[in-house]
Amino acid sequence: MDGQKQKVGENGVALQAGGDISVGMSYTEVKDLVFLLFEQNFPKLAESAAEKALQNIKEYIGNLENRLHEDANKVDFSKFSDPNIQYLLNSTIQNYARKGNSINMDFLMDAFLLVLREKPTSILNIVSEQLISVLPKITKDCVDVLTVLYYVRYYRQNGISSMEELEPISKKIYDSLSFDKECSDFIVPYLESLGVTASTVFASTPYRDLADQYKEFSSSKSDDEWKKLIQMSFPYLLKIIERYESWHLETTYLNPMGELLALMNVKSILQIDADFEGLFQ
C-alpha cells in the first residue's frame, strides 16, 4: 500500500485510485486503511498499552466490516478516498483505540455509516460528523436522559391502534434505563455544554407533550382526564414520565445531535429500522 499513499494534512492518508485499489474500495482495503491509520497514530505505546489498543482496533474492524456488509446497498464506498471521510475514520479509530467499549460501538457505527450514505441530506451529514466527535464524551447516563426526553416529547410510535399497544414499547424503554435518579443534577448542564441539548424559559408538560403526539387518542379528553388515564392504565409510560420529572427536563430540549443520538438508542432498544434521513428534512 505504501506506493499508493499520499499525505492529507498531518494525520491523514489518501488512497489513490491506481494499482489494485479502485475508487470503490473493497472490505480488505478498508481494513488495511484502518490498520495503517492506527499504526500512524499509535507508534510508540508501551507494550501493554499497545496490546490493548490493538485489541480495541480489532474489535472496531470486526464491527465496521459487519456493518459495511449489512448496509452495502446504502454505502458509497468511493467516499473512502475522500479526505474528509478519512479524517472522520481516523477520528473514530483514535477514539476507539484509546477508550474501547466505553464508547458505544453501535452509535459510533451508526454515525460513521450515515456519512457514508450514497445520498445523505446535508444537515444529517453535518450532524453525524458532529456526533462522531462528541460520542467519546457521552456516558450511558447521558444517553438515558436523552432517551427519556426524546420518548416523551419527540417520539411517536406509528401504526398503533390504541394507547394500550404503546405500553410494551414503554416497558422496553424503561427497562433500558439506569436507576440513578439524581444523575441529571450534573448531566443536564453537561449535555448542554456539549451542544447536545439546550434550555428554554418555557416549561414543557410531559402529559401535554404526549397528548400532542397521540392526538387521535387524547383529543376527546381534557388534560386532567388524559393525565389520569396515563396514571391509572399505563404504568411503564408513567414511570418514564416520573423519570422525566425527577430529572427536571421540563425546560430542556434536544438539539439535532441529541435527537439523532436518542433515535439511535431507541432504534437499538426496540430493534427497529430508523428513518434517520427524515429527522432533518
Side-chain angles (χ1 to χ4, degrees):
M1 291 179 60
D2 289 345
Q4 295 162 330
K5 245 189 282 179
Q6 65 182 49
K7 289 186 178 179
V8 179
E10 185 177 348
N11 294 315
V13 174
L15 297 184
Q16 298 174 335
D20 295 329
I21 295 181
S22 61
V23 173
M25 294 177 69
S26 70
Y27 299 114
T28 300
E29 290 159 353
V30 171
K31 182 177 179 180
D32 288 343
L33 177 57
V34 170
F35 273 116
L36 178 62
L37 292 171
F38 168 69
E39 289 168 358
Q40 285 188 334
N41 285 283
F42 295 90
K44 297 180 181 179
L45 291 177
E47 184 176 349
S48 59
E51 183 178 345
K52 178 59 178 174
L54 183 58
Q55 179 182 334
N56 290 341
I57 286 304
K58 287 179 178 178
E59 181 182 353
Y60 173 96
I61 287 173
N63 278 272
L64 179 60
E65 188 171 11
N66 288 338
R67 290 295 301 272
L68 288 174
H69 276 289
E70 290 172 7
D71 291 7
N73 61 327
K74 301 176 184 176
V75 169
D76 181 357
F77 282 85
S78 69
K79 288 188 175 183
F80 277 103
S81 61
D82 184 319
N84 182 54
I85 295 299
Q86 290 191 20
Y87 173 83
L88 294 172
L89 177 63
N90 197 20
S91 297
T92 63
I93 292 166
Q94 290 188 54
N95 286 328
Y96 204 79
R98 288 189 299 117
K99 296 200 168 188
N101 58 16
S102 65
I103 302 175
N104 187 295
M105 178 67 80
D106 288 337
F107 301 154
L108 190 64
M109 291 292 113
D110 278 342
F112 185 58
L113 264 67
L114 282 175
V115 300
L116 289 174
R117 292 287 181 98
E118 289 183 344
K119 296 179 180 178
T121 63
S122 58
I123 296 299
L124 179 61
N125 213 40
I126 293 168
V127 174
S128 300
E129 290 188 17
Q130 291 176 326
L131 184 57
I132 287 171
S133 68
V134 168
L135 277 175
K137 305 171 186 177
I138 296 288
T139 66
K140 171 64 167 62
D141 286 339
C142 290
V143 175
D144 285 349
V145 171
L146 296 175
T147 302
V148 167
L149 182 56
Y150 180 73
Y151 191 70
V152 170
R153 194 182 300 178
Y154 297 81
Y155 182 75
R156 173 184 165 82
Q157 178 66 39
N158 293 319
I160 64 171
S161 58
S162 69
M163 286 299 291
E164 284 77 11
E165 293 178 22
L166 189 64
E167 188 64 2
I169 297 167
S170 299
K171 182 180 186 304
K172 289 181 180 179
I173 297 294
Y174 180 76
D175 287 346
S176 76
L177 304 175
S178 60
F179 289 87
D180 181 1
K181 294 190 176 182
E182 303 303 319
C183 68
S184 68
D185 288 347
F186 58 89
I187 284 184
V188 171
Y190 175 65
L191 288 170
E192 188 168 346
S193 75
L194 295 178
V196 178
T197 65
S199 59
T200 176
V201 296
F202 302 104
S204 174
T205 305
Y207 296 98
R208 170 44 49 195
D209 288 332
L210 285 163
D212 288 342
Q213 292 174 73
Y214 298 100
K215 289 180 180 178
E216 67 268 42
F217 308 121
S218 66
S219 58
S220 63
K221 298 176 177 61
S222 68
D223 284 356
D224 284 343
E225 289 172 333
W226 175 248
K227 181 176 180 178
K228 190 173 294 185
L229 174 66
I230 292 176
Q231 291 174 335
M232 293 182 62
S233 303
F234 307 112
Y236 284 101
L237 184 56
L238 178 61
K239 287 175 184 288
I240 293 172
I241 290 173
E242 290 172 344
R243 189 64 59 89
Y244 179 103
E245 292 175 327
S246 72
W247 288 346
H248 309 296
L249 299 178
E250 295 87 351
T251 59
T252 302
Y253 65 91
L254 294 174
N255 280 341
M257 270 195 298
E259 193 170 351
L260 178 58
L261 180 53
L263 178 55
M264 287 175 177
N265 194 42
V266 169
K267 168 196 167 220
S268 176
I269 294 166
L270 302 182
Q271 295 296 297
I272 57 174
D273 290 331
D275 179 19
F276 296 118
E277 287 83 355
L279 277 180
F280 311 117
Q281 292 180 344

